[in-house]
Amino acid sequence: MAVLVNGGAGFIGSHTCVELLNAGEDIVVFDNFYNSNPQVLDGIRKITGRDFKFYEADMLEMSSIDDIFDENDIEQVIHFAGYKSVPESVKHPLKYYSNNLRGTFNILETMKKYGCTKFIFSSSATVYGIPETVPVKEDFPLSAINPYGSTKLIIENLCREMYTANNAWTFILLRYFNPVGAHKSGLIGEDPGNQPNNLMPLVLDKATGKRDVLQITGDDYPTRDGTCIRDYIHVVDLAKGHVSAVKKARELENGCKAYNLGTGRGYSVKEILDTFQRVNNIDLGYTIGPRREGDAAECYSDPSLAEKELGWKAELGIEDMCRDAWNFRRNKLI
Ligand code: UFG
């Protein structure tokens, strides 16, 4: 029996493959390398000293997914694959709905056909929209504020409705806060290509000289230093959260449960930049720019439900996140 990791060559997917293999799980990985590359698979093998079956396949091709289920004994699925840029989703909503939803429908249809009933979904704190208060708890109201968020929310709703209709299913919806960092080996990490829009990849581009300007987008928010506060979580901690979710899915006869995966601590943009500079001894030369549209002043999790029910808790801090992110990027320059 194996865990199928869809999108296993991506940033969070690859780190999850490492932690699953380290935990003794058998995995089958599939990815179309839309936002990743085959070297990642070598990195996973090198770090763990273990091999696994890989399919280069697209989740939009039903026959490819069918082949994977036909050729393997899949016990559960972790579904990472999907487009993930918020600004791109605003420009191209149909592209996002079409890929992220159709792909998910294909996976779920195939699972149903093969009697595989355990589905772990890569959701996001984006499903809370702009939260009215912090820390954010799983029972807060849900809303979508951009097409990317809509696709996450639609898939979550589908899982809840499928469970209501047929409670043989087990759905675990993992709501990530702000994943950053990289494996400490420097062999795998985040590689967002040429148009990053998240804070850490932009910081890394500035640190390498690939980008000329790094701006804090607004320092007039009602926070301790005026810059926005987020719950940054080390990707290795996040990956370990998936291992706990796999065990939970195995333990649960059935159910549909959502969990926040965050640290429960908020850091401001300025704190992140200053920590990055200090631990890596790099002067980022950042400036202050105008606010970015649609940003909440503060968003951080209450992760206590995951601790209580999954037995999982984030352990690494922002110094590790900043050091490991830079270590990976620096490695790529050598
Ligand atoms: N920021 C800057 N300068 C930049 C880019 C970002 O100061 O050039 C700031 C933002 O204003 C924000 C913080 O850095 O305060 C983090 O921004 P990110 O874009 O990295 O992350 P967000 O919190 O906006 O979004 C993330 C994920 C989304 C997810 C969302 C909700 O990228 O996918 O969290 O959880 F939907």
Side-chain angles (χ1 to χ4, degrees):
M1 294 287 261
V3 177
L4 178 63
V5 187
N6 176 21
F11 175 43
I12 305 170
S14 58
H15 289 81
T16 299
C17 289
V18 165
E19 296 308 322
L20 287 167
L21 290 166
N22 282 344
E25 298 285 349
D26 287 324
I27 61 173
V28 172
V29 177
F30 97 94
D31 204 297
N32 65 354
F33 297 128
Y34 176 81
N35 210 4
S36 57
N37 61 69
Q39 287 84 19
V40 173
L41 306 175
D42 297 333
I44 300 170
R45 292 187 176 110
K46 229 184 236 169
I47 293 168
T48 61
R50 288 192 61 194
D51 204 2
F52 52 87
K53 225 177 186 185
F54 175 77
Y55 290 82
E56 182 172 350
D58 194 313
M59 61 180 177
L60 297 185
E61 279 165 29
M62 196 67 161
S63 61
S64 306
I65 307 172
D66 201 282
D67 287 347
I68 298 172
F69 276 81
D70 190 43
E71 291 164 20
N72 300 280
D73 192 1
I74 304 297
E75 180 214 3
Q76 42 181 302
V77 175
I78 309 182
H79 181 50
F80 289 105
Y83 297 155
K84 62 172 187 180
S85 158
V86 171
E88 191 194 24
S89 80
V90 174
K91 278 199 203 117
H92 303 288
L94 182 57
K95 175 177 172 180
Y96 272 66
Y97 276 71
S98 185
N99 182 71
N100 293 5
L101 299 183
R102 268 195 238 195
T104 308
F105 300 156
N106 288 348
I107 302 284
L108 288 167
E109 293 277 11
T110 313
M111 288 177 69
K112 195 169 160 213
K113 175 173 166 192
Y114 285 85
C116 174
T117 56
K118 295 182 188 301
F119 184 77
I120 297 174
F121 177 54
S122 192
S123 188
S124 160
T126 193
V127 297
Y128 297 114
I130 305 253
E132 269 175 28
T133 56
V134 282
V136 176
K137 284 168 133 12
E138 285 83 353
D139 59 3
F140 275 23
L142 304 180
S143 68
I145 51 173
N146 52 59
Y148 162 76
S150 298
T151 67
K152 293 291 181 196
L153 191 52
I154 290 168
I155 295 167
E156 279 209 3
N157 286 337
L158 172 62
C159 293
R160 281 184 277 273
E161 286 161 359
M162 281 177 67
Y163 177 67
T164 305
N166 174 0
N167 55 23
W169 285 90
T170 304
F171 293 105
I172 299 191
L173 316 171
L174 300 177
R175 296 177 179 157
Y176 313 149
F177 281 70
N178 291 59
V180 294
H183 191 268
K184 65 178 182 325
S185 64
L187 291 170
I188 55 171
E190 187 169 18
D191 197 355
N194 283 329
Q195 287 204 313
N197 36 62
N198 290 119
L199 181 63
M200 190 57 83
L202 291 168
V203 167
L204 296 171
D205 278 359
K206 181 67 168 68
T208 59
K210 193 172 166 193
R211 147 177 300 270
D212 296 331
V213 179
L214 176 66
Q215 277 196 336
I216 293 186
T217 48
D219 70 347
D220 57 351
Y221 286 95
T223 59
R224 52 185 176 262
D225 61 18
T227 69
C228 290
I229 289 180
R230 294 288 181 275
D231 187 342
Y232 298 90
I233 174 168
H234 197 294
V235 65
V236 171
D237 275 331
L238 189 63
K240 289 179 177 166
H242 292 74
V243 178
S244 303
V246 162
K247 291 187 180 136
K248 180 77 177 177
R250 198 166 282 149
E251 219 176 85
L252 279 175
E253 284 283 287
N254 51 51
C256 182
K257 304 279 296 183
Y259 296 102
N260 286 339
L261 295 187
T263 65
R265 269 208 72 166
Y267 286 97
S268 73
V269 181
K270 198 163 177 307
E271 286 163 349
I272 293 291
L273 300 188
D274 291 346
T275 306
F276 186 93
Q277 298 191 124
R278 180 170 50 78
V279 302
N280 296 316
N281 200 18
I282 287 174
D283 181 8
L284 286 169
Y286 62 82
T287 54
I288 309 292
R291 287 185 178 198
R292 205 174 59 170
E293 208 185 315
D295 266 339
E298 274 192 282
C299 182
Y300 60 90
S301 66
D302 176 341
S304 57
L305 190 67
E307 185 176 357
K308 186 166 159 243
E309 296 191 6
L310 299 180
W312 168 89
K313 193 173 188 291
E315 282 164 359
L316 300 167
I318 55 163
E319 297 195 348
D320 305 292
M321 301 178 208
C322 291
R323 201 180 293 119
D324 293 342
W326 176 237
N327 182 44
F328 169 69
R329 179 61 77 90
R330 200 181 40 189
N331 248 7
K332 284 187 40 162
L333 300 174
I334 300 166

